[in-house]
Amino acid sequence: MPRTCPLLATVFCLLAVAAAAVAVAASALDADTIVRQAMDHYRGQSSRADMTMIIHRPDWERSMRMQAWTAGDEKTLVRVIEPRKDAGNATLSVDGNMWTFSPSINRVIKVPSSMMGQNWMGSDFSNKDVSKSADIVSQYDHTLLAREEHEGHQVWVVQSVPHEEAAVVWGREVLRIRDDWVLLEQQFWSQDGELVKTLEALAIEEMAGRPVATVMRMAKTAAPEEYTELRTHAVEFDLELADSLFTLSSLRNPRR
């Protein structure tokens, strides 16, 4: 019988120990940490993205090209650049407050908290969804429901229930988060325990050095043939963004 090389055996042993340590560390993550990591991955310290939103209905379809910027957990600016009739429409979210600007009426309007659940520009995304808010981290209690395997990745299934005083419309949300922090699915459940809508990642690609859900679809449970897709064409993370970008002045008058 051939003798095993002691050095090779030692290397294999060390690799096995390292892999086991990684697996143990992953399994030891609690639900709060998993959700926090997923939100950090999604937004970065800051970000800028070029996207197209496609609103699909059985008898018509429309699309809008947009740019979006985020900073920290609570600052988001989304601006429509095409088509011409919608260009300039923009939404700013800062510290839980939201404003919209419409060039057609040349007005900045503050969105009341009661309307955060309303559809954004006729899409299946709400004003809250478009703000890319990370409120789910601090305003929900998280419980790890299950661990799954998906295309060679471990996937955590997390249930998030809002605090009693949280200003949200959902009774709970259920998230499926991959072990590289990509959000595969987010379910939105009503206070009565009904699944209202689901956000699903349809395509995942490497962008800016990290895996990114480049196609995400939001669809209502009661009308699956009606949906909105958000397609990311390019994204950058951890940029130097001026504080002045996230102001009402910038919302009305974009700086080129």
Side-chain angles (χ1 to χ4, degrees):
M1 296 287 292
R3 294 195 308 165
T4 302
C5 172
L7 178 59
L8 188 58
T10 301
V11 170
F12 283 145
C13 181
L14 290 174
L15 289 174
V17 170
V22 170
V24 169
S27 65
L29 289 173
D30 61 27
D32 288 359
T33 302
I34 293 168
V35 173
R36 172 78 266 182
Q37 291 276 40
M39 292 301 105
D40 286 348
H41 182 87
Y42 178 54
R43 295 176 62 96
Q45 295 299 313
S46 62
S47 69
R48 188 190 72 80
D50 295 312
M51 303 175 293
T52 296
M53 177 176 281
I54 300 172
I55 304 171
H56 176 84
R57 299 296 181 260
D59 53 350
W60 59 268
E61 189 172 277
R62 64 185 287 249
S63 65
M64 291 179 286
R65 191 73 178 257
M66 306 181 300
Q67 292 183 329
W69 299 261
T70 71
D73 283 348
E74 299 293 341
K75 294 181 180 180
T76 302
L77 174 64
V78 179
R79 191 181 308 281
V80 178
I81 58 176
E82 292 177 354
R84 179 177 296 181
K85 67 184 181 66
D86 296 314
N89 282 290
T91 300
L92 172 68
S93 178
V94 177
D95 297 330
N97 298 300
M98 177 175 276
W99 300 265
T100 63
F101 173 70
S102 174
S104 62
I105 60 174
N106 195 30
R107 286 185 58 193
V108 171
I109 300 174
K110 192 174 191 303
V111 179
S113 57
S114 60
M115 293 185 64
M116 290 298 286
Q118 298 296 312
N119 292 346
W120 186 79
M121 295 193 68
S123 74
D124 297 293
F125 287 87
S126 69
N127 290 320
K128 190 72 169 177
D129 297 330
V130 170
S131 74
K132 299 179 71 175
S133 171
D135 286 351
I136 192 171
V137 174
S138 59
Q139 295 190 19
Y140 287 65
D141 292 318
H142 310 289
T143 303
L144 184 60
L145 297 182
R147 294 183 178 87
E148 303 173 348
E149 293 292 326
H150 177 73
E151 296 181 351
H153 288 270
Q154 180 175 214
V155 175
W156 295 286
V157 182
V158 177
Q159 176 173 271
S160 300
V161 178
H163 299 161
E164 188 171 339
E165 70 280 4
V168 298
V169 300
W170 306 115
R172 64 187 174 106
E173 298 179 29
V174 177
L175 294 79
R176 296 180 65 246
I177 299 169
R178 214 164 71 167
D179 56 12
D180 54 4
W181 312 118
V182 173
L183 178 62
L184 296 179
E185 185 179 84
Q186 186 171 6
Q187 299 176 353
F188 299 86
W189 294 75
S190 72
Q191 302 281 352
D192 298 326
E194 296 182 353
L195 178 60
V196 177
K197 63 180 184 178
T198 301
L199 177 65
E200 182 183 4
L202 301 183
I204 300 170
E205 298 178 24
E206 190 84 9
M207 283 190 173
R210 68 178 70 181
V212 173
T214 54
V215 180
M216 302 194 76
R217 177 180 291 183
M218 183 78 83
K220 293 184 177 66
T221 305
E225 73 282 0
E226 300 181 3
Y227 57 83
T228 301
E229 284 188 1
L230 192 61
R231 300 179 181 178
T232 300
H233 308 296
V235 65
E236 299 175 87
F237 294 103
D238 304 329
L239 310 169
E240 291 288 339
L241 298 177
D243 291 339
S244 59
L245 178 64
F246 303 97
T247 62
L248 296 182
S249 175
S250 175
L251 177 66
R252 181 190 289 271
N253 299 304
R255 292 159 175 78
R256 300 297 180 184

